[in-house]
Amino acid sequence: MHNIKLTVAYDGTDFRGWQIQPGQPTIQGLLTEVVQQLTQERLNVQGAGRTDAGVHAWGQVVNFKTNSELAPEELRRGCNALLPPSIRIREAEEVGPDFQARRMARAKTYVYSIYRGAVVPPFLCRYVLHVPQKLDFTAMAQAAQYFEGERDFTSFSASTGSEEEDRDQTMIRSIFRSELIDHACSGSPTSTLICDHRLRPDEWLYVIRGSSFLRYMVRKIVGTLLKVGRGQLPASEIPDLLEKRDRRCSGPTAPPHGLCLQSVEYPDPPISLGDKTRVR
């Protein structure tokens, strides 16, 4: 039995999110179909996180176990030949039997792109939120810092749709980084965070890295930061909103198309078994 790890990038515009939904186009559903076609097996393809409808990814991580003797590079090429251009397998490798993309993830980084220019270039409109109106960058950057640390994020989450799941879910999350950056930071490591391209002069990026995230959490934080930027909410009130633990307190949920799952981190690099020659 071989445990295969894939790093997947996708444009989420035309999909109903990551998770399989009957009768709906999803990333997991399509990827599962293609991998099963290549391996001729029924497989359980698990992702590190469930991105919402319209959300993109540059570094989604998945794994599945298979008896197929196709080498990882053969699987990568085969998947990319069968998948639509909006889904690409960036890397494929065989890892140790204990690796699990979801359970072993220790941190994820999301990036939300806000385009500040008067006119959005057509080839960017699917990936940025256009906000040409005046915003106070300094106030938004200050507000972003209040989300760092171990916090109860009830006020910045949405219901899962299940009362039982909501009741059992812990709302405490650890955020290691929460930062708003602009082109003045273009020389920093953050300048290549969005889909591996450099930060444009008319872009602001909100970067958040944490252990895990609640439903709509990043988009609700972005919506709240925009309220701060418009002068509708003082940055200093963010701690009070967190303390209230009330979903009605946050700003509006920002649209999904500005959000990208940039990367997923694990405690140690999974042990790659390489493209060793296999007995067929």
Side-chain angles (χ1 to χ4, degrees):
M1 182 72 73
H2 307 288
N3 194 11
I4 304 299
K5 171 180 175 280
L6 304 177
T7 302
V8 188
Y10 49 83
D11 176 340
T13 306
D14 300 324
F15 297 92
R16 295 298 300 168
W18 162 261
Q19 191 173 11
I20 289 177
Q21 300 179 48
Q24 299 289 338
T26 67
I27 307 295
Q28 185 185 32
L30 194 52
L31 184 57
T32 299
E33 289 177 13
V34 166
V35 171
Q36 290 184 162
Q37 183 177 343
L38 290 169
T39 62
Q40 296 297 296
E41 297 175 297
R42 289 186 61 85
L43 299 172
N44 183 21
V45 177
Q46 290 296 315
R50 301 174 183 176
T51 53
D52 299 320
V55 174
H56 316 293
W58 177 245
Q60 173 73 279
V61 175
V62 308
N63 81 288
F64 60 89
K65 294 187 177 182
T66 175
N67 289 308
S68 171
E69 295 300 333
L70 288 170
E73 180 58 22
E74 292 177 294
L75 285 167
R76 188 188 70 84
R77 291 199 303 266
C79 285
N80 285 340
L82 296 173
L83 288 165
S86 53
I87 307 175
R88 294 290 87 180
I89 308 302
R90 293 175 50 216
E91 300 174 5
E93 60 182 314
E94 182 172 351
V95 291
D98 295 331
F99 177 77
Q100 295 180 328
R102 186 174 182 84
R103 292 185 180 179
M104 294 182 68
R106 290 297 177 265
K108 300 184 183 76
T109 297
Y110 282 91
V111 179
Y112 197 99
S113 180
I114 302 169
Y115 192 81
R116 304 286 291 125
V119 178
V120 179
F123 48 84
L124 289 182
C125 64
R126 291 159 68 107
Y127 313 108
V128 299
L129 175 65
H130 187 209
V131 187
Q133 297 82 15
K134 183 179 178 181
L135 293 174
D136 186 335
F137 179 89
T138 301
M140 292 174 66
Q142 178 188 352
Q145 295 177 2
Y146 286 114
F147 293 103
E148 292 184 357
E150 188 174 78
R151 306 276 188 269
D152 186 313
F153 282 92
T154 300
S155 295
F156 296 89
S157 68
S159 171
T160 63
S162 164
E163 290 186 10
E164 181 178 354
E165 189 172 342
D166 285 346
R167 185 174 58 251
D168 295 339
Q169 184 180 40
T170 177
M171 310 305 284
I172 304 294
R173 293 293 185 271
S174 294
I175 299 301
F176 312 126
R177 179 186 180 193
S178 176
E179 182 181 11
L180 187 71
I181 62 173
D182 63 5
H183 196 255
C185 306
S186 60
S188 75
T190 57
S191 63
T192 57
L193 274 172
I194 264 254
C195 296
D196 217 27
H197 77 239
R198 289 202 171 273
L199 180 62
R200 300 174 180 86
D202 289 327
E203 275 185 309
W204 292 356
L205 300 184
Y206 173 61
V207 184
I208 184 167
R209 174 176 173 266
S211 57
S212 60
F213 296 86
L214 298 165
R215 189 182 187 207
Y216 295 173
M217 177 174 155
V218 179
R219 291 163 58 194
K220 283 183 172 291
I221 289 175
V222 171
T224 303
L225 293 180
L226 289 171
K227 284 189 67 175
V228 172
R230 293 179 176 122
Q232 299 167 347
L233 178 72
S236 59
E237 287 192 13
I238 298 299
D240 291 335
L241 297 185
L242 287 162
E243 187 65 29
K244 287 179 179 178
R245 299 180 179 86
D246 185 342
R247 292 190 174 105
R248 298 169 296 180
C249 292
S250 71
T253 304
H257 61 275
L259 185 60
C260 179
L261 171 58
Q262 180 64 30
S263 62
V264 184
E265 302 168 41
Y266 295 92
D268 293 300
I271 298 175
S272 175
L273 303 184
D275 290 339
K276 62 184 181 181
T277 302
R278 297 175 180 168
V279 178
R280 296 184 182 273

